[in-house]
Amino acid sequence: MRRASLLAGTASALAAAVTGAVTPSAVAAPRSRPSGDATAPAAGAHWVHTWSATPQLTEPHNMPPAPFTGTGRVLADTTLRQTVRVSVGGRRLRLRFSNAFGGTNLPITGVSVARPADGRAGVSAVVPGSARPVTFGGRPGIDVPKGAQAVTDPLDFAVRPGENLTVTLHLAEGQASTDITSHPGSRTTSYLLAGDHLTAGELPGATAVDHWYFLSGVEVRAGRRTSTTVVLGDSLTDGRGSTTNGNDRWPDQLFERLRSGAGDDSVAVVNEAAGGNRVLRDGLGPNALARLDRDVLSKSGADRLVVFHGVNDIGTAGTSEESARRITAELTEAYRQIVVRAHAQGIAVYGATLTPFGGNGYDDPAGGHESARQAVNRWIRTGGVFDAVIDFDEAVRDPRAPRRLLPAYDTGDHLHLNPAGYRALAEAVPLGLFRRPAAVSGL
């Protein structure tokens, strides 16, 4: 019989995993949870993140194309239209814009939200008459200081669970720097057009780019028991190998599974992953320990965290036995630090085992990296630090060659997954972790 995917961080929970049972130490007793959609009651309502993207410094090859990037200035007199897919719904929303990596203040002239044409992701057209202006303290725009973020005023604009939303910005001056904030791995198409087209139904002649710029979060006002699950990771969570405009990364598919399998749309799933990111050291973006406060602990409504992170740390470490022992010790201590800091905020932490990379460039001939991966996974499964464990390794490895991905899930680089592989990850997550309140075991 296939071993259960859920392993709790206690001896009793480990025993239960063998039989497929879920113990009280893994998840707390059930309670009723009203829907997080637009009909959620106002009493006890609070703000929850329903969509999020990790702010990153924009590398040269991910900058807006000419003529939108000039000498020392970006997006001057430009309309930027982007679509995002919310998870839980609500009657009111507000947006967050990040200037975390900007070289200067970010002057936003105007913002609008609308419903995309046919409800689709990655389209430039919006439903006629659906565009609504968004304000900051009653004003149409704001200067976001260098390194800061800005939150809009609440707007009465109902969104349904799983709905796509169009956000349009106009930057009259642009940003006077070529250091700007974006999320390059959007896997969603955005559009750039000269001039002010905030409420235009269509953007004829617009330039398409597969990146998000400046937009870092969408919050909704939802019922008091609606909550947010944050996923912390790298390109495997950011969705490399998924379908552009398909929203089929594994966190997207987990939310769909929650809605269909558990009938529960009161748990938002937000993606705080960055391709190339590492847990311990800066690479493509600040390391996970450095960005934990910004990307996880400060998220409104967050009560669960899934950590699926560490492959890049192992793949860039040395290959000797001593290097394998060192990276294992460093990673497992980093996980413990993440759990301690999250528990202090009442956030339960679920650890996911690291998936295979046999045949990829990370797979050194001497097997040092694989040795470290196996050691880290043993610690995740049995270390007793996480509130629960999700066995992604078991879900996608080839049973005949456990160091490798199952060929049906492999994009061809022997590291990243295709949409079917991401579906397998989503299906490996026990829905019981989300049917009940998050349980924090403590250390």
Side-chain angles (χ1 to χ4, degrees):
M1 181 180 71
R2 178 183 172 91
R3 182 165 47 87
S5 297
L6 171 64
L7 305 177
T10 64
S12 61
L14 286 168
V18 177
T19 64
V22 178
T23 70
S25 61
V27 286
R31 72 178 179 188
S32 60
R33 303 188 64 155
S35 170
D37 67 11
T39 64
H46 65 151
W47 290 104
V48 297
H49 265 82
T50 185
W51 174 87
S52 190
T54 301
Q56 295 176 252
L57 176 65
T58 309
E59 298 174 285
H61 63 280
N62 292 322
M63 292 290 288
F68 300 102
T69 295
T71 303
R73 190 172 295 272
V74 177
L75 300 174
D77 190 24
T78 298
T79 293
L80 165 63
R81 180 162 286 177
Q82 309 176 98
T83 59
V84 300
R85 183 176 184 265
V86 305
S87 47
V88 298
R91 291 179 177 174
R92 309 184 82 196
L93 61 77
R94 63 187 185 189
L95 311 176
R96 290 180 179 255
F97 296 95
S98 175
N99 193 24
F101 298 100
T104 62
N105 285 5
L106 170 64
I108 297 175
T109 310
V111 179
S112 70
V113 296
R115 303 191 191 282
D118 300 320
R120 293 186 295 144
V123 297
S124 64
V126 300
V127 174
S130 67
R132 297 280 308 280
V134 180
T135 58
F136 301 85
R139 297 180 295 275
I142 191 171
D143 277 8
V144 187
K146 180 180 176 179
Q149 67 171 303
V151 185
T152 69
D153 297 330
L155 176 69
D156 291 331
F157 191 99
V159 290
R160 299 182 302 276
E163 184 177 9
N164 286 302
L165 179 72
T166 297
V167 178
T168 306
L169 287 79
H170 177 232
L171 288 79
E173 303 173 29
Q175 187 163 16
S177 173
T178 52
D179 287 339
I180 66 171
T181 303
S182 68
H183 188 83
S186 64
R187 276 86 201 180
T188 307
T189 305
S190 302
Y191 296 88
L192 305 169
L193 186 64
D196 180 357
H197 307 279
L198 267 181
T199 59
E202 298 189 19
L203 299 181
T207 298
V209 291
D210 289 341
H211 312 299
W212 287 311
Y213 296 102
F214 311 126
L215 182 63
S216 63
V218 179
E219 298 170 280
V220 292
R221 193 77 172 166
R224 64 185 177 87
R225 292 179 183 172
T226 300
S227 65
T228 297
T229 294
V230 184
V231 183
L232 187 67
D234 51 34
S235 58
L236 286 160
T237 296
D238 207 24
R240 183 171 175 179
S242 63
T243 309
T244 298
N245 299 319
N247 286 312
D248 51 17
R249 314 163 191 84
W250 76 261
D252 300 311
Q253 298 197 58
L254 173 59
F255 176 72
E256 285 302 320
R257 185 165 172 251
L258 281 167
R259 293 177 66 197
S260 60
D264 190 354
D265 55 22
S266 66
V267 178
V269 180
V270 301
N271 192 331
E272 287 291 347
N277 195 241
R278 292 185 285 183
V279 175
L280 296 163
R281 293 167 182 84
D282 292 354
L284 293 181
N287 64 77
L289 291 173
R291 65 186 181 92
L292 186 70
D293 288 279
R294 182 195 70 189
D295 293 345
V296 178
L297 305 185
S298 66
K299 286 288 174 283
S300 54
D303 69 350
R304 296 174 176 86
L305 166 64
V306 178
V307 179
F308 177 37
H309 213 342
V311 165
N312 291 323
D313 296 81
I314 292 173
T316 56
T319 59
S320 67
E321 290 184 12
E322 174 57 30
S323 294
R325 285 193 293 270
R326 184 184 309 114
I327 194 63
T328 298
E330 290 178 347
L331 264 180
T332 54
E333 173 57 21
Y335 295 148
R336 194 185 70 82
Q337 290 285 329
I338 289 170
V339 171
V340 168
R341 290 166 62 185
H343 279 181
Q345 302 299 317
I347 298 173
V349 188
Y350 308 150
T353 54
L354 304 181
T355 50
F357 46 73
N360 181 265
Y362 281 173
D363 185 22
D364 63 292
H369 289 167
E370 175 63 14
S371 172
R373 186 182 75 89
Q374 293 288 355
V376 168
N377 281 350
R378 281 194 298 273
W379 185 92
I380 291 172
R381 292 182 178 112
T382 64
V385 170
F386 290 109
D387 297 293
V389 171
I390 303 164
D391 207 333
F392 281 169
D393 172 42
E394 182 185 60
V396 298
R397 71 190 180 210
D398 186 344
R400 295 171 297 182
R403 292 177 54 159
R404 291 177 173 265
L405 294 171
L406 196 69
Y409 298 154
D410 193 341
T411 60
D413 70 0
H414 311 303
L415 172 63
H416 295 99
L417 302 168
N418 57 29
Y422 289 132
R423 182 171 64 251
L425 295 187
E427 290 175 349
V429 181
L431 295 185
L433 294 174
F434 304 92
R435 290 195 182 106
R436 301 164 175 84
V440 176
S441 63
L443 289 178

